[in-house]
Amino acid sequence: MKTILATRYIDVPEGVDVDITCRNVKVTGKRGSLERSFKHLQLEITKVSDKKYRVDAWFSNKKALACVRTFCTHVKNMIKGVTYGYRYVLKSVYAHFPINMTATDGGKALNVRNFLGEKVVRVINMHNGVTVKASGNKDEIFVEGNDIELVSVSAALIHQSCLVKKKDIRKFLDGIYVSDKTTVESTEEQ
């Protein structure tokens, strides 16, 4: 069954500029700008006012209706990214051999040494626009950036580089785990 019209609105906060042309979205804020193409979605995006957009899906089935909210959420994540930034806090967990994490190339890469006593150095390169740095606490690092997807993928690459192979993972819990997801600059809600 098709729904004739599904509508959602995107409110743009002060200090953020959103430009949507031909389903290409460009969001500019105090921390920088993000661009993304949504050409694959069959949506109608209309500028209602300077700080408000309307997203419509006409004669859509259930799958296409879900894209309306998905599009709005992606744009809101971009707005939050250029306003506050995203920060993933990762902690290293070990039983015996202390894991050594060092940011290199000015935060563009992370070197992991002494994982389970291994001599090999793991080098994890961050995605564009994502930096890694020491948090100041022991065995803790920050992965920061404006794009939530690139930040989370970079954090996942760090986690995946330190997986225990050929051992019982219920016993060998060593690794680097995401302990907190927050923003770089504090928000009013927190």
Side-chain angles (χ1 to χ4, degrees):
M1 188 177 107
K2 296 203 178 234
T3 305
I4 295 174
L5 174 63
T7 304
R8 287 191 79 81
Y9 291 92
I10 299 172
D11 293 316
V12 181
E14 290 296 322
V16 178
D17 182 43
V18 176
D19 181 37
I20 303 175
T21 51
C22 303
R23 290 176 292 186
N24 284 325
V25 180
K26 182 172 185 184
V27 180
T28 308
K30 62 181 179 183
R31 289 182 53 88
S33 66
L34 293 173
E35 280 187 62
R36 187 158 179 178
S37 174
F38 294 95
K39 292 279 192 181
H40 60 285
L41 299 179
Q42 307 302 314
L43 298 173
E44 179 186 16
I45 299 121
T46 315
K47 190 171 188 176
V48 179
S49 67
D50 257 1
K51 295 292 181 181
K52 194 166 196 160
Y53 284 89
R54 188 180 76 227
V55 182
D56 295 327
W58 293 88
F59 299 104
S60 300
N61 58 12
K62 199 170 183 180
K63 204 173 214 179
L65 287 176
C67 294
V68 177
R69 190 182 197 112
T70 301
F71 174 82
C72 294
T73 304
H74 279 308
V75 174
K76 285 176 185 171
N77 283 342
M78 291 167 75
I79 291 169
K80 188 176 177 183
V82 297
T83 308
Y84 302 112
Y86 290 101
R87 172 185 286 165
Y88 278 40
V89 181
L90 286 89
K91 290 187 179 175
S92 64
V93 176
Y94 50 85
H96 186 269
F97 295 102
I99 299 172
N100 181 293
M101 298 181 291
T102 311
T104 55
D105 289 340
K108 294 283 180 200
L110 180 75
N111 288 354
V112 179
R113 289 184 175 82
N114 202 32
F115 175 69
L116 293 179
E118 296 173 3
K119 296 294 180 196
V120 66
V121 178
R122 291 166 165 80
V123 179
I124 303 106
N125 293 312
M126 300 294 108
H127 285 272
N128 289 336
V130 180
T131 57
V132 61
K133 64 180 184 182
S135 69
N137 295 341
K138 186 175 180 285
D139 300 327
E140 192 177 74
I141 56 169
F142 290 154
V143 178
E144 297 176 345
N146 292 347
D147 193 336
I148 190 170
E149 293 189 11
L150 296 181
V151 172
S152 60
V153 167
S154 298
L157 287 174
I158 296 171
H159 171 72
Q160 288 175 345
S161 70
C162 293
L163 295 178
V164 179
K165 304 288 186 188
K166 297 182 182 175
K167 291 185 175 66
D168 186 359
I169 58 171
R170 296 170 297 180
K171 177 72 175 167
F172 291 86
L173 298 171
D174 294 28
I176 302 172
Y177 298 96
V178 175
S179 66
D180 193 20
K181 299 174 186 177
T182 181
T183 56
V184 178
E185 300 171 20
S186 62
T187 60
E188 294 81 31
E189 296 97 39
Q190 291 180 341

